[in-house]
Each structure stands twice: as structure tokens, then as C-alpha cells.
Amino acid sequence: MLYLKKFFRWHVLAWTAYFGYVVLGGLIRPETAGHNPRISLAQNVWLDASFLVARITTFYFCYLLVFPRLLRVGRLPLLVLGLGAVGPVFAGVRAALEEGLYPWLLGFQNYWPGTSLSMYLFDGFYYAIPNSVLAAALWAAEQVLHRERENQQLVAARRTAELAFLKTQLNPHFLYNTLNMLYGLAYGVDKALAGGLLKLSELMRYMLRDTPDGLVDLREEIEYLANFLDLYRLRYPGRLHAALTVTGDPAGHRVAPLLLIPFVENAFKHGVLDDPATPVRLHLVLTPGAIEFTVENQRHNYQPDHGSGIGLANLHRRLELLYPDMYAWQVGPEGQQFRAHLRLDVPARATVLAATAPMETLLPALAVVSA
């Protein structure tokens, strides 16, 4: 809301100053301001006003519609059509005011009767082109500033996260050695407990790892979800009803780590886990151009504590910073069900997987569906 107020205020001030500049020029030197000497000063001011309205209309047609929606990869034909429409838009606004409203309201018109359509269109394109260029320049400058602000926010967020992590981080080697020691002690006593310690070790290893580009293979993210489910099965033996299905091939997909787990944590915290009639459903659909993840769970009639790990609000912020204009999500109740859906328009990279175990072998707990 604050941004819209500032936007409205500055744009109104800019157009008011421009109109005042044009009118003042017409008062001081009418011949250089393009005023028609055959009509009165008041009529020339009215024509200045209609010309300004046409300028404003074509400017915002380009600034709010053509460039934000059509200046994208794969939309060049639509962009050309959009830019080709600025001339008719400009001419149409002027014709509606100067040849329609003004004769009826003020008793005069701008063009001579019988002026051809080609003349209208020529004038429209001639005067609309500078507005299109100005709209493109302003839109591009705002995009650069917006990206710069986002980059600064991302750097600040990463710095804050790194500081918080350093304050709480255990020495990874000590952690892994301790877990391995506990795994060795538990293996001969309780293999289920030993397996749980091993999966906990894998979860922590994944949470602590870092990569140069800040991304991980989607296969590793899926393995993390599988280990998470296995630990919950140890916690609720025979009583956990949750299924993760993967449709498609994760090869080539890379994502920010821990991007999917907040949906699962939210479902496990607020959902019904022990009813076989309403299991928690986790469905990951993979295509060469996108990743879709859907989580559905039955809602409890009561709400437990409101504190939660990462949280959907923080996830939304991460998506805004990491995947601007590349994601869509829907989160909310649908009757007694709660549904969370995330789509990332992230194309898979071409990769060559050598001697890699199939998905079914790596993740035996999952239902894997061919694309």
C-alpha cells in the first residue's frame, strides 16, 4: 500500500509538472509550443490536455502492460503486436476526445473534416514512439533497482543466517563421529534404533552441507524427505499413514536445499497422521521444465502449539528472493483437508548420470511413477 501511494504521488507530480511546462510554453511562445494560431488560447490548452491524456494512456499501456507481460523469452511476436498497438491507442484517445467529445462539449475539433485514417495513425505512431521509449526506460530502470534491492536483501538474509548458524553449529566431525559411535553401539542391540541414528546422521549431514551455487540435486532433496518419513515411522510404529510419490525423473533438476520440507513439517504438525482413511499425501511431479509438489492432509479439529521450525511464511520469503517470477503456490484449507501446492518453473539441466542407482533402489520407501 505504501509503495502504491508513493507511485501514485510521484507519477501525478511528474505529469502535472509536464502539463504545466507545456501550458507555460504556450503562453510565453505559442509558435514554438505547437499552438494553432487559428484558434483561441483556451482551445489550444484543451488540445494540450487531450494530447497529455493520449500520452499518459500510451505510456501506461506500455509501462504496465506491454513490457511487464510481454518482454519475456518466447513472447517476441506478442511484444511486437503490443508495440504495434501504441499508435492506434494514441490516435484512438485523441480522436475520441478531439473529434468526439470536444465538438459536442466545446464546439470545436482539432482535425479538418475528412481527415483520413492513415493521417490519424501516422500522427498516433509519431507521437506515441517517444512515450514507448520513455516507458521502456523507466520500466527497465525500476527492474534494475528492484533486482539490486532483492540482491541486497538476499545477501543480508544469508549473512544473518550464517551468523545464526555459526552461533549454534556443532562441530560436524564431532557430531558425525558421535552418531557413528552411537550407531555402532546400537546396531548389536536394536537394529531399528541403529537405523534411526543413521538416518538422523544423514538428515544432519544434508542440513549442514554447502554448495558453491547454493543448490542441490533434487534427488538429494527427495532422499531427505524419505529419511524424514522413515524417522517418523520409527516414532509412530505402525501408526503413521503418509505416502510420498514421485512422478517423473529428477535428473538434471537442482533446487535450493530444504525447499520442500516446510510443507511436510506443516502437514505433520497440524494434520491427522494415524488415520488410514485420510493419509498425508505427498506428490512430486517432475517435467523437463517444472517441479510441482503437492501436500494434502486431514486437519485436526484442534490446533497444537503455534511455534514451528522454518515455517511457511519464511518459505514464501525464500521463494521471493530465490525464485522471483518463477514460482506459484497455493496454501490453504479445502473443507476438512489442508492443501499446499508449489510449482517452480525451473528447467532441468542436461546431465549425464553414470553408474547411478535407479530411483527405486535409492528410495525404496517411495512410490515411483514413470513420467
Side-chain angles (χ1 to χ4, degrees):
M1 184 62 68
L2 181 61
Y3 171 78
L4 290 178
K5 288 182 178 179
K6 292 176 63 177
F7 173 90
F8 183 77
R9 180 172 66 247
W10 285 110
H11 280 243
V12 168
L13 287 174
W15 287 114
T16 302
Y18 170 78
F19 184 66
Y21 177 80
V22 171
V23 172
L24 182 62
L27 293 174
I28 297 175
R29 300 196 64 180
E31 66 280 2
T32 60
H35 278 189
N36 189 342
R38 295 189 300 272
I39 60 177
S40 67
L41 176 62
Q43 290 174 333
N44 274 298
V45 172
W46 278 108
L47 292 178
D48 287 338
S50 61
F51 197 81
L52 177 67
V53 172
R55 278 187 179 275
I56 291 175
T57 303
T58 52
F59 175 87
Y60 288 109
F61 174 72
C62 294
Y63 177 75
L64 297 176
L65 179 62
V66 174
F67 294 120
R69 295 183 178 272
L70 305 181
L71 189 57
R72 299 174 183 271
V73 176
R75 295 190 178 182
L76 181 59
L78 293 176
L79 177 63
V80 173
L81 288 175
L83 292 176
V86 297
V89 168
F90 191 97
V93 172
R94 289 192 70 190
L97 293 175
E98 299 172 359
E99 311 304 316
L101 181 63
Y102 285 4
W104 172 74
L105 185 64
L106 304 174
F108 78 97
Q109 64 189 80
N110 185 22
Y111 290 94
W112 293 103
T115 301
S116 66
L117 177 62
S118 60
M119 183 62 183
Y120 275 110
L121 292 177
F122 177 81
D123 272 11
F125 278 110
Y126 180 80
Y127 291 116
I129 288 175
N131 296 321
S132 303
V133 174
L134 179 61
L138 181 61
W139 182 80
E142 288 186 348
Q143 292 302 304
V144 171
L145 292 175
H146 179 68
R147 297 297 184 207
E148 181 63 25
R149 282 196 298 268
E150 284 192 338
N151 289 337
Q152 291 176 354
Q153 291 173 353
L154 184 57
V155 169
R158 284 178 174 173
R159 185 179 295 115
T160 301
E162 288 173 2
L163 290 174
F165 177 72
L166 290 174
K167 290 179 180 178
T168 59
Q169 184 184 25
L170 293 173
N171 185 303
H173 296 289
F174 171 77
L175 177 64
Y176 299 145
N177 290 338
T178 302
L179 287 174
N180 287 333
M181 181 267 295
L182 294 174
Y183 169 76
L185 292 175
Y187 187 79
V189 179
D190 189 332
K191 288 185 173 55
L193 175 59
L197 289 171
L198 187 61
K199 291 187 180 298
L200 179 60
S201 173
E202 290 300 319
L203 288 178
M204 291 188 171
R205 186 190 303 274
Y206 182 74
M207 293 172 67
L208 293 174
R209 74 170 291 196
D210 193 15
T211 58
D213 60 355
L215 303 176
V216 297
D217 290 337
L218 183 59
R219 182 182 295 265
E220 298 179 51
E221 185 81 357
I222 297 172
E223 289 184 63
Y224 180 85
L225 294 181
N227 288 330
F228 182 87
L229 290 177
D230 285 342
L231 280 178
Y232 257 84
R233 289 190 180 96
L234 289 175
R235 183 179 177 185
Y236 302 102
R239 296 186 292 116
L240 178 67
H241 297 280
L244 170 60
T245 59
V246 179
T247 302
D249 187 358
H253 282 293
R254 289 177 63 78
V255 296
L258 303 173
L259 201 65
L260 305 181
I261 191 63
F263 292 114
V264 183
E265 286 183 335
N266 188 72
F268 276 40
K269 178 179 179 181
H270 299 288
V272 177
L273 307 180
D274 57 357
D275 186 357
T278 57
V280 179
R281 294 184 175 89
L282 319 172
H283 191 197
L284 186 63
V285 179
L286 309 173
T287 61
I291 299 169
E292 292 191 68
F293 187 51
T294 304
V295 178
E296 295 176 320
N297 63 272
Q298 184 79 0
R299 293 191 298 160
H300 273 298
N301 293 326
Y302 64 90
Q303 291 296 326
D305 62 288
H306 294 281
S308 60
I310 297 175
L312 295 182
N314 287 345
L315 173 62
H316 195 194
R317 182 57 181 158
R318 286 185 70 203
L319 290 170
E320 285 288 330
L321 293 173
L322 298 174
Y323 297 98
D325 302 322
M326 298 171 63
Y327 81 96
W329 84 338
Q330 293 178 329
V331 176
E334 294 183 358
Q336 282 299 110
Q337 292 279 320
F338 188 90
R339 186 175 187 271
H341 177 78
L342 171 66
R343 176 185 173 90
L344 291 178
D345 293 319
V346 180
R349 303 176 184 178
T351 57
V352 177
L353 299 178
T356 299
M359 196 72 179
E360 294 86 343
T361 304
L362 286 172
L363 305 175
L366 304 188
V368 182
V369 185
S370 300

